[in-house]
């Protein structure tokens, strides 16, 4: 017989859980018994409660997650979130060796990675630059432009990508996407993992990840992640070395308080890296076609960068379902380089027409951030609702110096080959640089109202203020801008496994790009709206979604041209409309997949095509299958396809990149319960294509490559 349980709420040993017990009793149809027990706590009668079975999905090794707070700072399921959200899990990163952020985003629905140089990268979604990045939900403003270095993913458990303007979780931004990096955290039990990878071009990588309780009670836990990689490249003269380390300690200060302290470090060293890239057309307008490994770098070129980040995080349970989270972090980034830029337009017959531009560059970027927020539930009009609110502050300071080399503008030898033989000059011809600061403050509030059992309204606002001061290459950075952006989202459950949604938010984003006169462009303004559907398949093991979106952005910075080796920009108006479809999860036993398709149109204020370097159609596919006959073996493939792109270099001269697809293959075999061997092939068809047309120069992507990984797990 089932055990008899006294359902008296007032006699329940934990006062904080009494409301939960009462709610459970009501839900089970025993409200009357509970009320009677409250009135007579010593009554001998008892009620027999039925057996309750609670089930949940095990997301370890999956391609999908159930919940994310990346869009609203409310821990909602993806179906409850009125925006398009893609998640790249740890399992998918491991299956396809997505060891860098570039790899992750290049395999994400609706995102393109614009690798304009070997060390600098831009990211684009829905036709606009991605400038909002978060770590564990805390914004890290990308104040000074693109992302430098190749950020390693060893320290992340997953990456959330919220497409569209993130009007609640991000104070400023574009109608593109917000990328939220979720760091690894210590587990309750000891666990260890180590891997050794050997790849094409003599590349070697070592990973190690150890998590363990640090005292007998388990109230203090720690985790350490390290990675080291070095090797040559398919690009002439290019070689890299990267070291990564991450450590975190979590300590329970009481039953309701958790303190986390951590530090990250990544050191990148590159030799033969490119500043700028290859010229794309000859003086007669015909396209160039260099070897895949061609590089403009000199033998002495190098570009080293180091990033460090320390953080303290305090989570406190306030009771009654309310929680408080505060984070203080400090990040630094420094770089040192000697680089060789090649500019001009070569003559097809002689190769003449290219000129030298050597420079030595150093920069130091320091950023401090503070974020505090509370979330919980409240009752109104007989229904339960969700609320989150908070504030954030950031200060970013950049100090950089450029020393220009003697002989700038010297004509290069009349050859179409780039040999790297340009002699190392003294970098004292002249000096220029920047010293400026950016301060951003914001407050936000978001409430999700349960209008009916199947209707939820998410509404809120984000008020932001940005102030800059200082000088950059002789131009003033003094500016101040503020804006309050509203957000509205509605979710309607039309079936047990299907929801419809719509959302709207406005856009505000200061920008540091300068026009030809060295004056910073005015802030970006605009709006973003989308409507779509989300559903679950196979008992929640897989999910599907679709969205129609429209985004308008005014005064967006677009590179106009180069002036003495320095890019200058103009502000353009643009509107993007399009549709997205995505399916992710376990489609059958042992079969994991993630498939996303994007169709896009981008026009300027006059209805003409703009941002033509952005592909109008994208397909992202990844799938693995565990063979029933050989359960130790997992095989898989990923396919990335994009439509053609182009860039008008000058009137009548257009550079085009035809549509292309790249195919990757993987296989993993479990030698025993602790050891696996994995093989990965990239660009199996050896497709030759340009990495980007974001700039007027570009270089070629990597040809076919292979890697083998031996992994040990305890």
């Amino acid at each position: 017989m089932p055990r008899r349980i006294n359902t008296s709420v007032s006699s329940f040993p934990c006062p904080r859980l009494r409301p939960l017990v009462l709610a459970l009793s009501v839900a089970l149809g025993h409200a009357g018994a509970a009320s009677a027990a409250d009135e007579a706590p010593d009554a001998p009668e008892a009620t027999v409660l039925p057996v309750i079975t609670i089930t949940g999905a095990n997301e370890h090794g999956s391609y999908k997650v159930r919940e994310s707070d990346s869009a609203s700072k409310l821990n909602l399921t993806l179906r409850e979130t009125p925006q398009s959200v893609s998640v790249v899990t740890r399992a998918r990163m491991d299956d396809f060796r997505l060891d860098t952020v570039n790899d992750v985003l290049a395999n994400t629905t609706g995102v393109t990675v614009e690798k304009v140089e070997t060390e600098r990268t831009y990211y684009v979604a829905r036709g606009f630059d991605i400038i909002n990045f978060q770590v564990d939900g805390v914004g890290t403003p990308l104040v000074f432009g693109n992302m430098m270095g190749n950020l390693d993913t060893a320290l992340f458990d997953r990456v959330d990508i919220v497409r569209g303007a993130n009007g609640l979780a991000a104070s400023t931004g574009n109608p593109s996407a917000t990328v939220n990096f979720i760091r690894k955290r210590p587990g309750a039990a000891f666990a260890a993992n180590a891997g050794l990878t050997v790849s094409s071009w003599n590349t070697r990588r070592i990973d190690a990840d150890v998590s363990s309780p640090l005292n007998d009670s388990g109230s203090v836990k720690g985790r350490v992640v390290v990675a080291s990689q070095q090797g040559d490249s398919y690009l002439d003269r290019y070689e890299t070395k990267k070291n990564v380390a991450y450590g975190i300690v979590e300590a329970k200060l009481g039953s309701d308080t958790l303190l986390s302290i951590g530090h990250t470090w990544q050191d990148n060293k590159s030799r033969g890296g490119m500043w700028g890239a290859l010229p794309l057309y000859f003086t007669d307008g015909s396209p160039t076609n260099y070897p895949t490994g061609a590089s403009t770098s000199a033998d002495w070129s190098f570009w080293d960068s180091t990033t460090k980040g320390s953080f303290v995080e305090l989570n406190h349970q306030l009771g009654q379902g309310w929680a408080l989270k505060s984070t203080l972090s400090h990040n630094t980034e420094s770089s040192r380089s000697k680089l060789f830029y090649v500019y001009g337009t070569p003559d097809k017959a002689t190769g003449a027409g290219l000129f030298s531009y050597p420079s030595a560059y150093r920069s130091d970027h320091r950023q401090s951030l503070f974020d505090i927020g509370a979330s919980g539930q409240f009752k109104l009009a007989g229904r339960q609702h969700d609320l989150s609110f908070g504030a954030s502050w950031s200060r970013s300071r950049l100090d950089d110096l450029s020393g220009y080399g003697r002989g700038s503008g010297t004509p290069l030898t009349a050859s179409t080959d780039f040999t790297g033989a340009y002699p190392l000059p003294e970098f004292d011809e002249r000096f220029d640089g920047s010293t400026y600061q950016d301060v951003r403050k914001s407050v936000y509030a978001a409430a999700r109202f349960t209008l009916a059992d199947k209707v939820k309204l998410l509404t809120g606002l984000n008020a932001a203020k940005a102030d800059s001061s200082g000088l950059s290459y002789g131009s003033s950075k003094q500016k101040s801008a503020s804006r309050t952006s509203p957000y509205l989202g509605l979710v309607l459950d039309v079936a047990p496994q299907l929801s419809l949604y719509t959302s709207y938010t406005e856009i505000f984003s200061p920008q540091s790009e300068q026009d030809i006169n060295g004056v910073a462009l005015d802030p970006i303004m605009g709006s973003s709206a989308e409507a779509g559907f989300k559903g679950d398949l196979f008992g929640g093991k897989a999910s599907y979604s679709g969205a129609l979106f429209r985004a308008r952005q005014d005064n967006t910075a677009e590179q106009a041209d180069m002036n003495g080796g320095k890019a200058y920009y103009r502000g353009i108006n643009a509107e993007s409309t399009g549709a997205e479809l995505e399916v992710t999860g376990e489609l059958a036993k042992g079969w994991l997949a993630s498939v996303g398709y994007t169709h896009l149109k981008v026009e300027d204020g006059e209805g003409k095509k703009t941002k033509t370097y952005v592909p109008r159609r994208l397909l992202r596919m990844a799938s693995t299958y565990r063979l029933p006959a050989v359960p130790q073996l997992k095989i898989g493939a990923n396919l990335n396809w994009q439509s053609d792109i182009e860039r008008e270099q000058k009137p009548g001269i257009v550079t085009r990149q035809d549509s292309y697809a790249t195919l990757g293959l993987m296989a993993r075999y479990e030698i025993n319960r602790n050891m696996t061997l994995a093989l990965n092939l990239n660009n199996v068809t050896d497709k030759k294509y340009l990495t980007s047309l974001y700039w007027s120069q570009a270089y070629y992507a990597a040809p076919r490559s292979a890697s083998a990984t031996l992994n040990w797990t305890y």
Side-chain angles (χ1 to χ4, degrees), residues 332-343:
T332 63
E333 178 186 72
S334 63
S335 69
R336 302 291 185 267
S337 61
K338 290 183 179 179
L339 302 169
F340 185 64
Y341 181 78
V342 174
Y343 68 96

Side-chain angles (χ1 to χ4, degrees), residues 196-368:
L196 172 64
T197 303
V198 292
S199 309
S200 300
W201 308 298
N202 197 31
T203 301
R204 292 91 63 200
R205 179 183 174 95
I206 298 175
D207 295 88
D209 183 352
V210 180
S211 176
S212 176
L214 300 180
N215 61 358
D216 293 337
S217 67
S219 61
V220 182
K221 299 176 292 184
R223 189 165 185 171
V224 175
V225 179
V226 295
S228 180
Q229 179 176 314
Q230 62 179 340
D232 300 325
S233 168
Y234 71 97
L235 292 171
D236 296 340
R237 300 175 298 283
Y238 187 51
E239 57 185 61
T240 61
K241 183 177 181 180
K242 175 172 61 174
N243 291 299
V244 181
Y246 164 58
I248 181 173
V249 174
E250 292 187 344
K252 279 193 171 183
L253 304 184
S255 59
D256 299 321
T257 306
L258 179 67
L259 175 67
S260 303
I261 300 175
H263 183 75
T264 63
W265 171 79
Q266 178 169 330
D267 184 68
N268 297 298
K269 296 186 183 303
S270 75
R271 298 295 177 267
M274 280 193 283
W275 180 32
L278 301 169
L280 296 178
Y281 63 96
F282 294 109
T283 52
D284 65 359
S286 62
T288 58
N289 185 21
Y290 297 106
T292 301
S295 169
T296 58
S297 69
D299 291 332
W300 42 262
S301 298
F302 75 91
W303 196 333
D304 298 343
S305 63
T306 301
T307 58
K308 301 176 184 178
S310 300
F311 65 94
V312 179
E313 179 183 290
L314 187 67
N315 286 273
H316 182 67
Q317 300 299 316
L318 301 172
Q320 304 298 319
W322 280 84
L324 178 71
K325 177 183 176 181
S326 59
T327 304
L328 176 65
S329 58
H330 182 71
N331 306 315
T332 63
E333 178 186 72
S334 63
S335 69
R336 302 291 185 267
S337 61
K338 290 183 179 179
L339 302 169
F340 185 64
Y341 181 78
V342 174
Y343 68 96
T345 304
D347 180 84
K348 192 172 186 178
T350 66
L354 297 177
F355 303 91
S356 66
Y357 192 75
S359 177
Y361 179 75
R362 71 183 189 195
S363 71
D364 293 286
H365 175 204
R366 298 180 296 279
Q367 187 175 66
S368 298

